[in-house]
Amino acid sequence: MTLPSFSVLHAAGVQSERIAELFWIYFYLSAAIFVLMTLAFVVSITRGRAADESTRVPLSKSVQRFRFRTVGVATALTVVTLVVMLLLSVVTSRALASLNTKDAVQVKVIAHKWWWEFTYPAAVAGTQFTTAYEMHIPVGRTVEVDLASSDVIHSFWVPTLHGKRDAIPSKHSSLFLRADRAGRYEGQCAEFCGIQHANMRFVVVAETDTEFKAWLAHSLTPAPVPDDSIQVRGRDVFLKSRCIVCHAIGGTDAFATVGPNLTHLASRGFIGMGTLQNTREHLAGWIVDPQSTKPGVIMPATPFDPDDLNALVTYLASLR
Ligand code: CUA
């Protein structure tokens, strides 16, 4: 059976493997206990006699001793099982904290209602950039996820890579993960944060070191310059509209940080945090009426005349 990539049991990294191992140990242990308890229950109801005061005879000393011993052994086994489960959980926690964090790739993650912002801090001055929805990481290297929230409590969760970690306003927390297989791994906010909580998705793209470096280099470049008159018109429409109150496009005069950075929007597979495939039609629909796709989203409906909208979408679709 092949499980989807959004599964804690389909580990793609060392941290999630440790969590999955613990899960299976707990699962088999609990299953064994369930079977034993059911057997004991069946035996007791089939072999026990109905309580009837008139025919009850006092128990012999040996039967009493047997019963005391049985209860004693069962209690001891319960305590031992619980202690073993506790120890296994402590061992897993320590293993999760033991990941080598030297030379970790740092990604600053800010959770917003309802989108994810990823900032790659500058290794060299002036080389920091911000993106949204897609978090790229290199395979085989530890990644430090530095988590924060801009509004309410959210929770960063990529089941195939690690457990959940809350993003709490005015508090930083961090998480160390490592992908050991290349792939695209679904992430999801795991703490109810409002009406669009379920549509607060993201994707982790784990790729080879060469691909990752190429992505970093590309992400650092400003947005492509429009190369025809429709794209030029689209850029002008964007810069004169209220879009710039919230969004940034590198290399232009739009640098707001309220909403997702659009510098390389066309390179992302989805818009609206995984709700719509990134096509021209969806982009146009999203700009004109985002509320029908994600009711409650902060982005307001922004009407344009058809030619302006066409130019705007053409320009946005060119931002690779
Ligand atoms: Cu953010 Cu739920």
Side-chain angles (χ1 to χ4, degrees):
M1 181 175 63
T2 47
L3 293 160
S5 64
F6 190 79
S7 167
V8 282
L9 304 179
H10 196 229
V14 59
Q15 302 292 61
S16 49
E17 254 162 39
R18 287 163 171 152
I19 294 169
E21 271 166 21
L22 183 67
F23 168 83
W24 285 116
I25 296 173
Y26 272 36
F27 176 80
Y28 287 118
L29 209 54
S30 309
I33 291 167
F34 177 75
V35 170
L36 287 175
M37 292 301 295
T38 310
L39 276 177
F41 177 65
V42 170
V43 168
S44 71
I45 56 171
T46 51
R47 289 188 45 195
R49 277 160 295 174
D52 182 344
E53 289 301 324
S54 60
T55 59
R56 180 173 273 182
V57 282
L59 293 173
S60 71
K61 277 271 183 284
S62 67
V63 171
Q64 273 186 14
R65 261 204 307 277
F66 175 75
R67 289 191 174 182
F68 269 121
R69 240 190 343 251
T70 309
V71 171
V73 168
T75 309
L77 275 177
T78 307
V79 172
V80 168
T81 309
L82 288 174
V83 170
V84 165
M85 288 173 103
L86 175 69
L87 287 177
L88 286 170
S89 144
V90 171
V91 167
T92 301
S93 297
R94 290 181 68 100
L96 288 175
S98 73
L99 194 64
N100 183 9
T101 56
K102 220 172 131 244
D103 300 325
V105 175
Q106 292 194 327
V107 187
K108 211 171 134 195
V109 178
I110 302 177
H112 302 263
K113 278 159 75 177
W114 292 277
W115 62 284
W116 296 94
E117 179 183 339
F118 303 108
T119 299
Y120 288 72
V124 182
T127 58
Q128 173 176 300
F129 68 90
T130 292
T131 183
Y133 183 63
E134 281 186 14
M135 172 177 150
H136 286 240
I137 61 170
V139 167
R141 271 180 76 188
T142 302
V143 176
E144 178 179 3
V145 175
D146 178 19
L147 260 182
S149 165
S150 71
D151 36 52
V152 299
I153 300 177
H154 303 268
S155 184
F156 179 91
W157 189 34
V158 192
T160 44
L161 296 177
H162 207 315
K164 300 165 184 172
R165 182 62 48 90
D166 277 2
I168 299 166
S170 71
K171 188 171 180 280
H172 279 260
S173 52
S174 59
L175 178 78
F176 290 92
L177 55 83
R178 192 181 76 204
D180 294 318
R181 277 191 285 120
R184 293 171 72 86
Y185 305 113
E186 297 262 7
Q188 165 74 53
C189 179
E191 176 82 40
F192 182 73
C193 54
I195 185 170
Q196 287 300 332
H197 155 70
N199 285 327
M200 191 169 161
R201 291 192 287 269
F202 61 105
V203 67
V204 174
V205 182
E207 55 202 358
T208 63
D209 211 45
T210 319
E211 287 167 331
F212 176 67
K213 285 195 176 119
W215 178 81
L216 280 184
H218 179 69
S219 300
L220 278 166
T221 59
V225 177
D227 57 13
D228 64 35
S229 59
I230 298 188
Q231 288 179 20
V232 170
R233 177 171 172 178
R235 185 189 58 189
D236 293 345
V237 168
F238 182 86
L239 294 174
K240 284 184 191 135
S241 73
R242 64 181 179 194
C243 303
I244 59 164
V245 177
C246 297
H247 295 285
I249 294 181
T252 72
D253 288 337
F255 38 73
T257 56
V258 177
N261 185 301
L262 305 179
T263 307
H264 297 289
L265 172 69
S267 68
R268 306 202 277 261
F270 285 83
I271 56 170
M273 291 298 113
T275 44
L276 293 172
Q277 271 193 319
N278 192 356
T279 64
R280 285 179 57 98
E281 295 71 25
H282 286 159
L283 259 179
W286 174 256
I287 292 164
V288 175
D289 183 17
Q291 299 294 329
S292 68
T293 305
K294 281 179 91 167
V297 71
I298 292 161
M299 180 161 158
T302 309
F304 287 102
D305 83 56
D307 287 343
D308 279 351
L309 183 62
N310 178 51
L312 175 59
V313 168
T314 304
Y315 172 62
L316 292 176
S318 78
L319 301 179
R320 297 214 68 85

